[in-house]
């Protein structure tokens, strides 16, 4: 019994070697099948291999050698396996039976040479054309971006009052911030400088609004009487005009207008009730804008530093560089627009005054306010002045007012804006028209006012970030050597020195 574990171990080792020999024969058979060698196939035990005559091998008599064994029988030599222990025979004489005709072969033979070649199917990703893949990648990103913008627009619409108040406060801060800086440079502390600028700025804006309302109330009676006279004169001119308009047609138009007003009395009443709500919302927005302006003037830099902490660290450096440039663009836009609007209002107001147009001062204030809506505001304010001049003073005065408005607008577009605003806030006229239209559709007059500065700031930020990314890519790339370094250098190469012949 003490030798039984040794015999079992030897038996396992022999079986392992036997399996290795069988695996080697199978591999040789597969290689021979690929090469078309039938002798190797029959020696490996493949019944379907063609028979090939070979000379008989005679072994010693009675020893069970190759002469007494059937072809295809595999015998492992006894010298490679453990011998019998305690009368237990070893595995040396065990034979592996040959493969019969009904048993499946150990490996599938290679197809014949005349079989047609079947090309492998490409991967599904490789089967899609490159253009379709690019379009699909861009499409789902655009869909995600559109969904994000839609959600953002819904949020802004829900809190429209807060958003408009904050934007108005930002514009007012951009207008008043240089005054705070000037006072602090003169030695005044930040708190008193902020308070003085805030109070004086809103007092001036309040006085301007009060002056406009006072002028309208003071001249409304005379304007109404002049409008009635103008309507009568217009009616007489139409009757004598070559358009062949009859009095009955004019009376019919007036009756239709009266009927429309009478039929929509309920709607006008509800609009008046909504007007009360609008007034409350306006006062709420004014208060929000005032408090936001105060804190932006006093603590704007700290608020900006806190916002930078919310930006991911990988993009923080670029955003930190784009922020001051965006603020300079916004400040230049607001200050330049105020100066241009003030010049327009003064010159057009002087023209209206000398042409004896009623409400000349309120019209000048309206021209100043509408100048904050580029292109569209000038057209609306000029048309309003021409209509009042036409109704109050006749066609000749209206034409003169139109000439004054056009002259001032031409001076503004070709001289004032390029000189005052400069290249910092230059935006293409098509972008101005589209942005004003989109802002007006989304948020009314307030959206039209803030659309152009928003586009100008966005243009500045995108341009800076593009330049910053290009510069970072140059820094991270391997520095070229030789003459190619001049092509990618951030600074232009030095000019070559003139030769001796040129110096002479």
């Amino acid at each position: 019994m003490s030798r039984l574990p040794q015999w079992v171990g030897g038996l396992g080792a022999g079986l392992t070697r036997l399996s290795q020999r069988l695996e080697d024969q199978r591999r040789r058979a597969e290689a021979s099948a690929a090469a078309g060698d039938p002798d190797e196939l029959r020696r490996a035990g493949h019944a379907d291999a063609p028979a090939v005559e070979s000379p008989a091998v005679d072994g010693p008599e009675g020893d069970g050698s190759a002469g007494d064994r059937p072809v295809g029988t595999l015998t492992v030599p006894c010298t490679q396996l453990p011998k019998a222990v305690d009368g237990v025979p070893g595995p040396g004489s065990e034979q592996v039976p040959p493969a019969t005709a009904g048993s499946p072969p150990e490996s599938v033979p290679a197809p014949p040479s005349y079989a047609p070649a079947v090309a492998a199917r490409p991967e599904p990703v490789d089967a899609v054309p490159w253009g379709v893949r690019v379009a699909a990648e861009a499409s789902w990103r655009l869909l995600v971006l559109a969904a994000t913008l839609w959600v953002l627009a819904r949020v802004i619409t829900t809190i429209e009052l807060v958003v408009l108040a904050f934007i108005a406060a930002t514009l007012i801060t951009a207008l008043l911030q240089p005054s705070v800086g000037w006072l602090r440079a003169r030695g005044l502390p930040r708190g008193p400088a902020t308070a003085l600028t805030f109070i004086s700025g809103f007092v001036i804006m309040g006085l301007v609004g009060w002056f406009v309302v006072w002028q309208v109330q003071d001249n409304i009676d005379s304007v109404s009487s002049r409008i009635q006279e103008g309507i009568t004169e217009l009616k007489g001119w139409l009757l004598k005009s070559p358009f062949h308009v009859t009095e009955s047609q004019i009376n019919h138009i007036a009756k239709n207008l009266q009927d429309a007003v009478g039929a929509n009395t309920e709607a006008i009443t509800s609009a008046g009730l909504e007007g009360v709500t609008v007034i409350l919302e306006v006062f709420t927005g004014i208060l929000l804008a005032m408090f936001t302006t105060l804190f932006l003037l006093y603590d704007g830099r700290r608020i900006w530093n806190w916002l930078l902490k919310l930006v991911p660290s990988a993009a923080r450096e670029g955003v930190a560089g784009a922020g001051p440039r965006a603020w300079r663009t916004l400040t230049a836009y607001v200050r330049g627009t105020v100066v241009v609007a003030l010049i327009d209002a003064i010159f057009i107001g002087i023209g209206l005054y000398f042409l004896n147009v009623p409400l000349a001062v309120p019209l000048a204030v309206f021209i100043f306010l509408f100048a904050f809506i580029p292109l569209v505001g000038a057209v609306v304010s000029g048309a309003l002045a021409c209509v009042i001049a036409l109704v109050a003073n006749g066609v000749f005065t209206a034409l003169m007012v139109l000439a004054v408005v056009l002259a001032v607008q031409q001076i503004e577009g070709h001289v004032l804006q390029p000189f005052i605003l400069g290249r910092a806030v230059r935006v293409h006229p098509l972008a101005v028209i589209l942005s004003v239209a989109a802002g007006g559709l989304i948020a009314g007059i307030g959206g039209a006012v803030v659309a152009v500065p928003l586009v100008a700031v966005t243009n500045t930020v995108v341009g800076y970030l593009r330049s910053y990314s290009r510069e970072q890519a140059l820094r991270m790339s391997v520095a070229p050597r030789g003459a190619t370094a001049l092509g990618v250098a951030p600074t232009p190469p030095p000019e070559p020195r003139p030769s001796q012949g040129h110096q002479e």
Side-chain angles (χ1 to χ4, degrees):
M1 294 299 292
S2 61
R3 296 182 179 181
L4 181 60
Q6 297 178 359
W7 179 84
V8 172
L11 180 62
L15 292 176
T16 301
R17 285 191 293 271
L18 179 62
S19 64
Q20 291 178 354
R21 285 176 174 271
L22 292 175
E23 181 67 23
D24 293 340
Q25 286 189 0
R26 185 182 66 81
R27 292 176 180 174
R28 287 196 301 271
E30 291 179 355
S32 300
D37 188 358
D39 294 337
E40 288 293 336
L41 293 178
R42 290 192 60 83
R43 281 197 298 270
H46 288 272
D48 55 349
V52 178
E53 296 183 359
S54 60
V57 179
D58 296 334
E61 298 180 355
D63 58 356
S65 61
D68 297 333
R69 294 195 305 269
V71 177
T73 304
L74 175 65
T75 303
V76 181
C78 296
T79 57
Q80 298 180 3
L81 297 176
K83 301 184 181 296
V85 180
D86 291 341
V88 180
S93 60
E94 294 182 358
Q95 296 179 352
V96 179
T100 60
S103 62
E106 295 182 3
S107 63
V108 179
S113 59
Y114 59 82
V118 179
R121 292 184 178 182
E123 293 292 332
V125 177
D126 298 333
V128 180
W130 174 256
V132 177
R133 292 171 61 183
V134 172
E137 293 283 343
S139 298
W140 74 260
R141 286 177 170 84
L142 290 176
L143 289 176
V144 172
L145 181 61
T148 304
L149 292 177
W150 183 82
V151 172
L152 182 61
R154 296 289 297 178
V155 172
I156 291 176
T157 304
T158 305
I159 56 174
E160 180 180 358
L161 179 63
V162 178
V163 174
L164 289 178
F166 177 78
I167 294 176
T170 305
L171 296 176
I172 296 173
T173 304
L175 178 63
L176 300 179
Q177 181 65 39
S179 300
V180 177
W182 184 81
L183 291 175
R184 293 192 62 186
R186 298 300 183 273
L188 198 64
R190 182 175 61 177
T194 302
L196 182 60
T197 303
F198 173 79
I199 294 174
S200 59
F202 277 94
V203 165
I204 292 174
M205 288 186 284
L207 290 176
V208 171
W210 170 81
F211 180 75
V212 171
V213 173
W214 171 62
Q215 286 292 318
V216 171
Q217 290 181 351
D218 190 43
N219 296 291
I220 191 66
D221 296 332
S222 61
V223 172
S224 300
S225 61
R226 287 193 179 186
I227 289 176
Q228 292 294 333
E229 294 175 0
I231 292 175
T232 303
E233 293 178 2
L234 180 61
K235 180 179 177 181
W237 180 80
L238 289 174
L239 291 175
K240 297 177 183 179
S241 66
F243 299 108
H244 304 288
V245 179
T246 61
E247 187 173 0
S248 61
Q249 292 176 344
I250 297 175
N251 294 332
H252 181 68
I253 294 174
K255 185 177 181 303
N256 290 337
L257 292 175
Q258 292 176 358
D259 293 341
V261 173
N264 296 324
T265 303
E266 183 178 355
I268 293 173
T269 304
S270 61
L273 294 177
E274 292 179 359
V276 176
T277 306
V278 170
I279 291 174
L280 293 177
E281 291 181 355
V282 167
F283 276 108
T284 304
I286 290 174
L287 291 177
L288 283 175
M290 291 176 64
F291 280 105
T292 306
T293 302
L294 177 62
F295 287 108
L296 288 178
L297 288 173
Y298 181 77
D299 221 3
R301 185 174 297 276
R302 188 179 301 177
I303 294 173
W304 171 246
N305 292 332
W306 178 81
L307 290 176
L308 282 178
K309 296 178 181 179
L310 303 179
V311 180
S313 57
R316 189 173 299 164
E317 185 177 355
V319 175
R325 289 168 175 81
W327 183 251
R328 284 197 295 268
T329 299
L330 183 62
T331 304
Y333 174 83
V334 174
R335 295 174 65 183
T337 303
V338 168
V339 174
V340 171
L342 185 61
I343 294 174
D344 288 351
I346 290 174
F347 282 98
I348 295 178
I350 291 174
L352 295 176
Y353 177 78
F354 281 107
L355 291 173
N356 199 21
V357 177
L359 298 177
V361 177
L363 284 175
V365 175
F366 278 116
I367 290 170
F368 173 79
L369 296 177
F370 276 96
F372 286 90
I373 306 176
L375 299 180
V376 179
V379 174
V380 173
S381 59
L384 179 61
C386 291
V387 168
I388 292 179
L390 174 64
V391 174
N393 295 345
V395 179
F396 178 76
T397 305
L399 292 177
M400 295 300 295
V401 170
L402 179 61
V404 171
V405 171
L406 291 178
V408 173
Q409 295 299 328
Q410 290 298 316
I411 295 174
E412 170 198 342
H414 294 86
V415 178
L416 296 180
Q417 285 188 353
F419 179 74
I420 297 176
L421 296 179
R423 295 181 177 270
V425 292
R426 180 170 293 180
V427 182
H428 196 275
L430 179 59
V432 172
I433 291 294
L434 294 179
S435 60
V436 169
L441 291 176
I442 294 174
I445 297 178
V449 171
V450 303
V452 177
L454 183 61
V455 170
V457 169
T458 304
N459 185 30
T460 301
V461 171
V462 171
Y464 172 78
L465 292 179
R466 187 186 298 114
S467 302
Y468 175 78
S469 301
R470 189 181 302 112
E471 184 179 352
Q472 289 296 109
L474 288 176
R475 290 179 179 177
M476 298 299 294
S477 61
V478 179
R481 297 180 180 179
T484 57
L486 299 177
V488 296
T491 57
E495 297 181 358
R497 296 182 179 180
S499 61
Q500 296 293 332
H502 290 290
Q503 288 181 356
E504 295 175 358

